[in-house]
Amino acid sequence: MLRWTLMLSAYDYELRYVPGAKIQNADALSRLPQKIKVPEPPPSEDVLMLENIPEKLISAREIAQETKRDPVLSRVMQWIWKGWPDNGKKLPDEFTPYLQRKHELNCYQDCLLWGTRVIVPLGVRDTVLKMLHSAHPGRSPAEILMGRKLNTVYDRMQPDFRKEMMDKQEDECPIPGKDRVFQDGDAVFARSFTPGSKWLPAQVVSTTGPVSYRVQTPDGQTLRRHSDQIRARVEEPTESLGALGDPEIPPTTPEAANCSEPQQQDNGNSQVVEIKKPPERSRRAPKYLEDFVP
């Protein structure tokens, strides 16, 4: 408006109101569509990124197989296991890089490693190079968003030491209760959530799920418990020890419990064995109650 005011200030004019329906030229110009810039669709290789990954991803197992087939790396692995040749022995030039780094090489899961990096055998080297040049190896937007390192196709080529150690630890030291399974009729202890004893003797009646059971207590009460709330129980023998021929143990009498009296043993040499009682504890009121008058 300011621009039009400055332009019209040089003229003497009169403003008249005209309905918009009668201003065909101005109405057409006001309704003239403007050119809209339509954004171009993103390239197909960005949208179909998952479909463009290699058909066969390379794993650490394939790296190990190709390493055994490689004539150079397989020989280097034999040297790592059995010992390196003498320095004076002449070897082909393709072994020179490995001889210079022989103290930095090691083998794990049949893969040849230089420190923590996998040495890619010649059979899959071209495939790995194409994967490296297909995308930037830096931090991806997903990794920045998640705030942690994500597994990539390159991590599949690295031997998984952590998984192997966890599997060995589970085999050597199984987690208690992980594979706890009970059968119908097993004698168990069931967790009680009522006042009193925390564990009640019970018997498995039926299986209600993969890790849940229905148990019955001696008083006829039926409970449904998780396997973590059940412990195995060994039933006591019904026959007494005396019925099996073992000598009966006489009950302890108050006279026998009195240890202050001397006991005599007649085994040829009469001796008097005296068992002393522990000293009695002296009890007295605290000093701040000495002036207390009831």
Side-chain angles (χ1 to χ4, degrees), residues 1 14 18 29 34 53 55 74 107 113-116 136 148 171 196-197 201 203 209 220 226 236 243 265 287:
M1 294 297 294
E14 181 181 356
V18 179
L29 292 175
Q34 298 179 355
I53 61 176
E55 297 181 358
S74 59
C107 296
L113 305 178
W114 178 27
T116 58
H136 193 274
R148 60 181 178 86
D171 296 339
S197 178
Q203 187 176 12
H226 190 273
E236 298 180 355
Q265 298 180 354
K287 292 185 177 181

Side-chain angles (χ1 to χ4, degrees), residues 137-194:
R139 298 185 64 187
S140 62
E143 185 175 344
I144 298 175
L145 176 64
M146 301 294 291
R148 60 181 178 86
K149 189 179 184 304
L150 304 178
N151 289 335
T152 62
V153 292
Y154 314 115
D155 296 326
R156 291 173 53 87
M157 297 185 293
Q158 190 80 14
D160 195 351
F161 174 77
R162 183 165 177 255
K163 183 178 183 300
E164 182 184 2
M165 292 303 300
M166 292 180 64
D167 294 341
K168 288 184 178 180
Q169 291 176 359
E170 290 183 359
D171 296 339
E172 296 177 358
C173 302
I175 301 175
K178 183 178 181 181
D179 299 327
R180 188 184 299 116
V181 180
F182 300 96
Q183 304 295 334
D184 295 350
D186 289 353
V188 296
F189 284 104
R191 184 71 167 85
S192 175
F193 299 96
T194 58

Side-chain angles (χ1 to χ4, degrees), residues 2 37 51 69 101 130 136 139 149 169 261:
L2 180 61
K37 186 177 181 181
E51 285 77 3
R69 300 191 188 101
R101 301 170 178 83
K130 292 179 181 179
H136 193 274
R139 298 185 64 187
K149 189 179 184 304
Q169 291 176 359
E261 297 294 336

